Amino acid sequence: DIQMTQSPSSLSASVGDRVTITCRASQGISNYLVWYQQKPGKVPKVLIYGASTLHSGVPSRFSGGRSGTDFTLTISSLQPEDVATYYCQKYNSVPPWTFGQGTKVEIK
Amino acid sequence: QVQLVQSGGGVVQPGGSLRVSCDASEFSFSSHDMHWVRQAPGKGLEWVAIISSAGNNEYYGDSVKGRFIISRDNSQNTLYLQMSSLRVEDTAVYYCARDFFSSGLDVWGQGTTVIVSS
């Protein structure tokens, strides 16, 4: 099975900071990578699919990138409402549809 | 609006069985693959199972394979997860979610709590 390794597991940054989260796939998955945001006590929401396509309604400060099997989620200017845990998920129609371990983002 | 409403869940003893349901509304349920995802207390998301739109293909995560069965009734717009031989480590919030083709799980149920405890 393909493993998805997310880093860091948590981070603390100031409002306005640029924040980057990384997700590494153990094998190639092309662009089949989705990023989710889960706020405390809420269900997850899609932020980005296809590694870099912003889901409808998601603020433009969120962006996704890919270099080989390394994927990034970047928040260009961290806002208080971005406090959440972020997950990547492989989505290439080959089971299992594995999630990364999650990255908890807090405000410093 | 497009939504998934879950029911079922509860407290069950180790080795027991339980079924959770997920009712879909305001979209073409039979056009979408459907997933179950779970989240143990204080832990991350774990993918559990998927069923194809027609209900003729299923896949499971290794931790539940052979114990859980995902099924659907397209005439009733309902998704099911039958859980058997439950273990303490199956304690989690279980979510149903709609597969929006290659764009991820775009609609989620509200979650159903399953507690396995003696």
Side-chain angles (χ1 to χ4, degrees):
Chain A
D1 291 352
I2 296 174
Q3 307 302 315
M4 305 301 294
T5 304
Q6 212 174 314
S7 61
S9 57
S10 66
L11 66 89
S12 180
S14 299
V15 172
D17 282 354
R18 183 181 182 89
V19 168
T20 298
I21 299 167
T22 298
C23 181
R24 173 169 291 173
S26 60
Q27 300 175 38
I29 58 170
S30 187
N31 284 336
Y32 294 104
L33 193 284
V34 178
W35 289 100
Y36 299 88
Q37 176 193 64
Q38 187 180 30
K39 294 185 177 181
K42 303 294 186 181
V43 302
K45 293 184 177 180
V46 175
L47 290 176
I48 288 169
Y49 61 90
S52 61
T53 302
L54 215 59
H55 188 66
S56 174
V58 174
S60 59
R61 64 180 179 274
F62 292 92
S63 64
R66 173 201 170 195
S67 176
T69 57
D70 290 342
F71 299 85
T72 55
L73 172 69
T74 298
I75 309 173
S76 61
S77 177
L78 186 67
Q79 300 301 304
E81 60 266 32
D82 300 333
V83 169
T85 300
Y86 295 83
Y87 297 92
C88 63
Q89 183 190 27
K90 68 172 277 288
Y91 218 81
N92 63 343
S93 75
V94 176
W97 279 257
T98 308
F99 288 93
Q101 302 95 318
T103 297
K104 187 175 183 179
V105 173
E106 298 176 323
I107 299 291
K108 193 181 294 182
Chain B
Q1 71 276 23
V2 172
Q3 64 177 351
L4 298 169
V5 177
Q6 298 180 221
S7 58
V11 181
V12 62
Q13 291 188 336
S17 298
L18 203 61
R19 188 178 81 164
V20 292
S21 302
C22 172
D23 291 322
S25 58
E26 300 300 327
F27 70 94
S28 179
F29 179 70
S30 61
S31 297
H32 292 267
D33 295 349
M34 296 293 295
H35 297 247
W36 287 99
V37 175
R38 70 183 181 182
Q39 188 166 35
K43 302 297 184 182
L45 302 173
E46 180 186 8
W47 178 79
V48 173
I50 183 176
I51 187 167
S52 62
S53 57
N56 54 349
N57 279 298
E58 310 131 40
Y59 296 101
Y60 298 89
D62 286 344
S63 61
V64 307
K65 203 173 295 183
R67 301 187 298 122
F68 288 14
I69 297 175
I70 186 172
S71 63
R72 65 192 297 161
D73 183 341
N74 284 346
S75 68
Q76 298 293 319
N77 292 337
T78 303
L79 175 73
Y80 302 99
L81 185 68
Q82 177 69 49
M83 300 179 284
S84 303
S85 302
L86 281 161
R87 306 167 179 167
V88 171
E89 56 265 34
D90 294 319
T91 295
V93 175
Y94 286 75
Y95 296 101
C96 59
R98 183 178 81 167
D99 183 313
F100 196 66
F101 311 109
S102 295
S103 305
L105 305 177
D106 70 327
V107 180
W108 293 65
Q110 82 276 18
T112 301
T113 299
V114 172
I115 298 173
V116 184
S117 173
S118 55

